[in-house]
Amino acid sequence: VQIEMFDLTGYFSSNNARIERTLSEVLDSLDRSTRLAEAMRYSLMAGGKRLRPNLCLAASEAVGGDLERTLPVACALEMIHTYSLIHDDLPPMDDDTLRRGKATCHVAFDEATAILAGDALLTLAFQTLASMEGPRPECCLELIRAMAFAAGPHGMVQGQMLDMQAEGRSLTRAELQRLHRLKTGALIESALACGAMVGGGGSAQIDAVREYGKAIGLAFQVVDDVLNVEGDPAVMGKATGTDRSRRKNSYPALLGLEKSKEFAQNLVREAVAAIAVFGLEADPLRAIAHYVVERKK
Ligand code: IPE
Ligand code: IPE
Ligand code: MG
Ligand code: MG
């Protein structure tokens, strides 16, 4: 009942206004007139769902953290995520021309600019983390370590590599789960852990939201696979049917649509169970868990 009562639309829209404002401020530190800054702004401000920063803010809130202090961490996650999308869409990767309802960065600009805009967003994310004034230096270091671990060869980049290597050949269920946990789950998991860390959570609290993040991160990519089959491209702002045409490994290809949806539902139950120790302060996390499987975009 509590979950149904929670106004997630209102929660996202008030958070997103702050997230967009902070992202815009970070971009304002760059020389606007450069083509590089223009391409970075084009992709970063194209209106994504801002799920990772919202998860980060919700995790911080769950442990009683301060919203203003959490915003730079939330925005660093969004910069890393946007860089990963720009590179994911490049011709030698997924070769997509539509993202967030707009032409992909390499189409709107050119491939070299898209590569460099991605590089720049990734670097700027870590510069932002290293420049924070609120948290203790040891906390900053821990945030940088956790995010780098999730984004790099121990996480997202290795997941993307496995995704590319597996095109056209069938993975086992265990292999596909590992791929999805790395390419998408790792950054989402770190959004939760980093939110709890900057929010001043204790180690048991950090572990609990991290467990939630691990489950929700996998569920998120399972649903992305499902939407690639049955979603509406006009609503999603990106092409559908591409996993099949590119002979990608996906949950619907492996298990079928119904079993994939069931699996995602089970993961949401796991996620919600992982944060059972929290009270009302974790209601945003509970509502977001349900949103992950109900979303249409
Ligand atoms: C898309 O992420 C890529 C995946 C990791 C599945 P999102 O669905 O969060 O994309 P935006 O940020 O809303 O555009
Ligand atoms: C994107 O995965 C994962 C990352 C960008 C790290 P997909 O390639 O499956 O996602 P979409 O469908 O292009 O958003
Ligand atoms: Mg991809
Ligand atoms: Mg893709």
Side-chain angles (χ1 to χ4, degrees):
V1 179
Q2 256 168 32
I3 291 156
E4 281 162 23
M5 304 257 303
F6 186 81
D7 174 19
L8 189 60
T9 309
Y11 185 78
F12 280 152
S13 73
S14 82
N15 277 349
N16 285 1
R18 292 186 161 96
I19 292 161
E20 309 272 336
R21 192 202 61 215
T22 309
L23 288 172
S24 202
E25 281 167 12
V26 174
L27 290 175
D28 285 342
S29 71
L30 308 172
D31 181 354
R32 255 178 192 276
S33 65
T34 66
R35 185 169 169 83
L36 181 62
E38 207 192 319
M40 292 162 75
R41 184 179 293 272
Y42 174 85
S43 290
L44 192 60
M45 305 313 284
K49 295 182 289 291
R50 313 306 193 192
L51 178 74
R52 294 148 193 82
N54 270 284
L55 284 167
C56 179
L57 295 176
S60 174
E61 193 175 332
V63 302
D66 176 66
L67 182 111
E68 282 302 319
R69 187 181 275 218
T70 309
L71 272 170
V73 182
C75 288
L77 289 156
E78 188 63 21
M79 287 186 253
I80 294 171
H81 169 60
T82 302
Y83 125 75
S84 82
L85 297 179
I86 295 173
H87 284 194
D88 181 72
D89 290 333
L90 286 167
M93 304 264 298
D94 290 350
D95 193 15
D96 274 305
T97 57
L98 192 70
R99 170 70 68 184
R100 294 176 165 173
K102 294 168 71 175
T104 46
C105 194
H106 65 273
V107 171
F109 293 83
D110 57 78
E111 285 179 31
T113 304
I115 292 168
L116 294 170
D119 293 340
L121 285 169
L122 172 61
T123 317
L124 194 56
F126 286 103
Q127 185 186 323
T128 303
L129 289 176
S131 310
M132 288 193 301
E133 276 163 12
R136 287 173 296 112
E138 310 87 84
C139 179
C140 279
L141 202 54
E142 196 47 42
L143 292 167
I144 291 167
R145 195 201 63 81
M147 231 181 269
F149 192 86
H154 297 281
M156 190 264 291
V157 175
Q158 174 60 10
Q160 289 286 68
M161 187 71 198
L162 292 174
D163 184 277
M164 298 297 145
Q165 286 180 298
E167 276 184 16
R169 96 189 154 76
S170 297
L171 297 181
T172 64
R173 185 166 178 178
E175 287 169 331
L176 181 61
Q177 176 162 313
R178 178 158 176 273
L179 189 171
H180 277 23
R181 282 204 193 281
L182 288 170
K183 85 166 180 180
T184 302
L187 192 65
I188 290 181
E189 185 182 323
S190 87
L192 278 299
C194 289
M197 283 188 241
V198 72
S203 65
Q205 291 179 311
I206 296 168
D207 288 349
V209 297
R210 193 186 265 288
E211 273 309 299
Y212 163 100
K214 195 171 177 192
I216 229 62
L218 180 56
F220 187 82
Q221 185 61 48
V222 174
V223 173
D224 188 77
D225 289 357
V226 167
L227 290 172
N228 194 275
V229 177
E230 61 170 21
D232 178 353
V235 173
M236 291 161 62
K238 62 183 183 184
T240 57
T242 53
D243 287 344
R244 193 192 167 103
S245 64
R246 277 179 213 127
R247 302 176 65 221
K248 291 274 193 188
N249 284 271
S250 72
Y251 273 85
L254 189 72
L255 304 179
L257 278 173
E258 287 321 303
K259 286 245 154 47
S260 302
K261 290 181 197 174
E262 253 172 58
F263 181 48
Q265 288 287 358
N266 288 339
L267 288 165
V268 167
R269 275 192 282 278
E270 249 179 60
V272 172
I275 53 168
V277 290
F278 293 98
L280 293 177
E281 65 282 3
D283 274 359
L285 288 178
R286 296 185 182 100
I288 295 172
H290 292 279
Y291 159 79
V292 162
V293 292
E294 282 152 19
R295 70 198 175 95
K296 299 282 176 249
K297 62 182 269 190

